[in-house]
Amino acid sequence: MQPTKLRRELLVFSLLFAAGMWLSKTAQPLYFESHEALSAFGVGYAVMAIVGGLSVVWGAIADRVGGLTVVRIGSVLYAIGLAGRLITDLVPTIVFSAIAGAGASLALVGIRPWVRSSVPDQEIPGIVAGRNLGNQTGTVAGTIIAAGIFAVPAFGSDGPRIALLVAPVIVLTGAVWLLYASEQTGSWEGPDPNTSNPSGKRWLCIKLVIIGLVSGFYVSLITPYLPLVLTAAGASTTVAALTLGGMSCAQIVATSVMTKRARNPRPVTLFFITELGTGVLTLLAALSLGLAPVVLTAILVCRAAFVAIAVAAEETIQYAVIPASASGLIFGASQTAFLIGDALGGAFGAQIWSSGSPSSLLLTGGLITMANAVLLPLILRREIRG
C-alpha cells in the first residue's frame, strides 16, 4: 500500500472517530442529568472502562482476524453503543456501554496490526504522526460541534439529545470511509527474533506492560488537574479554558509538522529529548506558581507540544520492537496496563492534591516523567539494538 494513501485513510478515520467520541462524551452527562439518571451514567461509564480495558483480548482477535477488519467492526459496534446512550434506563445503559467499550477498543487496537502489515518500517513515523493529528483535530472538532449544537437557540434543552444523535452518525461515516481502505497482510513482516520465539514475545510484553503502567500513571497524575492548577495559580476559569485550548492547538501544530517531515527519524533519541523536556517543563510549571498566570500558561502550552511529540515517538518505538505477528496482542496488553496506570494515577493525584498543593502534584509528575525518559530506552535497549 502507498504510505501516503494509508496516512490519509488513517488521518480521516481518526478525525471522524475522535470527533464522534468527544461529541458524545460532552453531551452524555448533560443528557443523563436532564433525565435524572446520573447514577446510571456512572455505572455505564465504569462498564465501558472495564470492557474497553480488555485490550489484550481485542488485540489477540485483531491478530487473528486482521487489523482493518477489526477496525471496521469495532467502529460499527462503537456507533451502536453511542446511539444507545439515548436510553437512560440502567440495564440498557449497561448493555450499550459494554458494546461501546468493546467497539472502541477493537477499533483502536486493530489499527496497529493494520498499519504494521501495510507499510515498511521507515514509513511508520509519518503514519503515526498522521493518526495522532487526526485524533487531536477530531477531539477539538467534537467539542466545537457540541458547543455549536448547544448554542443554537432553537434546540433549547434538546441540545444534548441532538448531539447524541449526531455522534454515532459521525463514527459510522468513519466506518464507511474505511470501506475504501485496503490491507496488505504480512507484506512487511521482516525477520524478527521475537516472531518465532515465544519467550521473547513474553518478555517484550512484560516490558511494555511496565512502561504502559508508568505512562498511564503519570499522565493521569497531572492532566485531569491542570484546570485546577491554573485557577489555583490565580487564573480565571476563562483563562484556564483558553489555556487548555492553546495546549490542544500546540499539539496539533507539533503533530502536523511531524506528519509532513517524519521519515527515518531516530525515535528513541526523539523520545528521550521530548520526554525529558516534558518533565523539565513540568518542574518549571511548579516553580512558576508564584509568578503571573501568563507564565504558567506559556509553560503548559510548550509542554503540550513536547507531550505530543513524545507520544508519537513512543508509539513509533512500539511499532519497531513489536513483532508483526503479535502486534495486536502485545499492544493490547500495553494498552490495558496504561488504563490501569491511568486509574491509579488519577486516584493518587487526588490524594496529593487534597493533602499537598499544586506544586507537590507538578513536582511529583515532573520527576516521574523524567524518570520515564530514561526507563523506556533502558528497558527496551536489547530490542532497540536488535
Side-chain angles (χ1 to χ4, degrees):
M1 178 187 293
Q2 291 293 326
T4 304
K5 180 176 184 292
L6 178 59
R7 187 185 305 128
R8 182 176 63 252
E9 290 172 348
L10 199 48
L11 190 154
V12 173
F13 167 75
S14 298
L15 191 156
L16 293 169
F17 193 88
M21 173 184 288
W22 281 92
L23 175 58
S24 185
K25 274 188 175 185
T26 305
Q28 187 188 10
L30 300 174
Y31 180 77
F32 272 65
E33 182 185 35
S34 68
H35 287 74
E36 299 181 349
L38 280 179
S39 59
F41 167 75
V43 173
Y45 195 89
V47 169
M48 183 175 176
I50 292 170
V51 176
L54 299 174
S55 301
V56 61
V57 176
W58 313 130
I61 293 173
D63 286 332
R64 292 180 176 273
V65 177
L68 179 56
T69 301
V70 164
V71 175
R72 289 167 174 162
I73 294 172
S75 301
V76 174
L77 288 176
Y78 186 55
I80 293 172
L82 293 187
R85 290 178 174 177
L86 289 162
I87 305 174
T88 58
D89 293 334
L90 180 60
V91 174
T93 296
I94 292 174
V95 172
F96 283 109
S97 295
I99 293 172
S105 192
L106 278 168
L108 297 177
V109 171
I111 288 173
R112 271 69 187 183
W114 172 24
V115 171
R116 195 70 181 81
S117 65
S118 299
V119 295
D121 289 347
Q122 64 267 26
E123 300 292 346
I124 285 179
I127 303 295
V128 170
R131 186 185 75 84
N132 288 339
L133 176 61
N135 282 340
Q136 292 155 2
T137 307
T139 299
V140 174
T143 54
I144 291 176
I145 292 171
I149 291 175
F150 299 159
V152 176
F155 292 160
S157 59
D158 279 340
R161 182 177 67 85
I162 293 171
L164 288 179
L165 285 169
V166 174
V169 175
I170 296 176
V171 174
L172 277 178
T173 302
V176 172
W177 167 260
L178 289 184
L179 292 177
Y180 300 95
S182 58
E183 184 173 36
Q184 194 168 340
T185 306
S187 297
W188 301 106
E189 181 177 354
D192 190 329
N194 290 315
T195 301
S196 57
N197 184 354
S199 177
K201 287 182 182 179
R202 184 163 54 251
W203 278 112
L204 176 60
C205 187
I206 291 172
K207 291 177 180 180
L208 290 177
V209 163
I210 294 172
I211 293 170
L213 280 170
V214 175
S215 298
F217 182 84
Y218 78 77
V219 165
S220 64
L221 184 69
I222 297 176
T223 303
Y225 302 97
L226 287 180
L228 298 177
V229 170
L230 285 160
T231 54
S236 65
T237 54
T238 301
V239 171
L242 289 173
T243 300
L244 295 179
M247 290 167 60
S248 297
C249 291
Q251 291 187 323
I252 290 173
V253 170
T255 308
S256 179
V257 172
M258 287 190 67
T259 302
K260 295 177 180 178
R261 299 185 179 182
R263 184 183 175 93
N264 293 322
R266 295 180 177 179
V268 178
T269 303
L270 185 62
F271 171 80
F272 176 76
I273 293 173
T274 52
E275 188 80 346
L276 188 64
T278 300
V280 171
L281 286 169
T282 306
L283 296 181
L284 288 176
L287 298 175
S288 71
L289 290 177
L291 303 177
V294 67
V295 177
L296 177 60
T297 294
I299 292 173
L300 291 179
V301 170
C302 291
R303 178 184 178 275
F306 274 74
V307 169
I309 298 172
V311 167
E314 181 176 355
E315 188 173 339
T316 301
I317 294 169
Q318 289 180 341
Y319 274 110
V321 301
I322 296 176
S325 61
S327 57
L329 173 64
I330 296 178
F331 177 81
S334 174
Q335 182 69 10
T336 297
F338 181 91
L339 294 172
I340 294 172
D342 182 70
L344 294 174
F348 191 67
Q351 293 298 318
I352 296 178
W353 183 270
S354 59
S355 61
S357 63
S359 60
S360 300
L361 187 71
L362 292 172
L363 288 171
T364 303
L367 291 173
I368 295 176
T369 305
M370 293 173 69
N372 192 57
V374 178
L375 175 65
L376 186 147
L378 180 65
I379 202 172
L380 292 177
R381 63 189 184 280
R382 182 177 178 183
E383 288 77 10
I384 292 168
R385 289 173 182 171

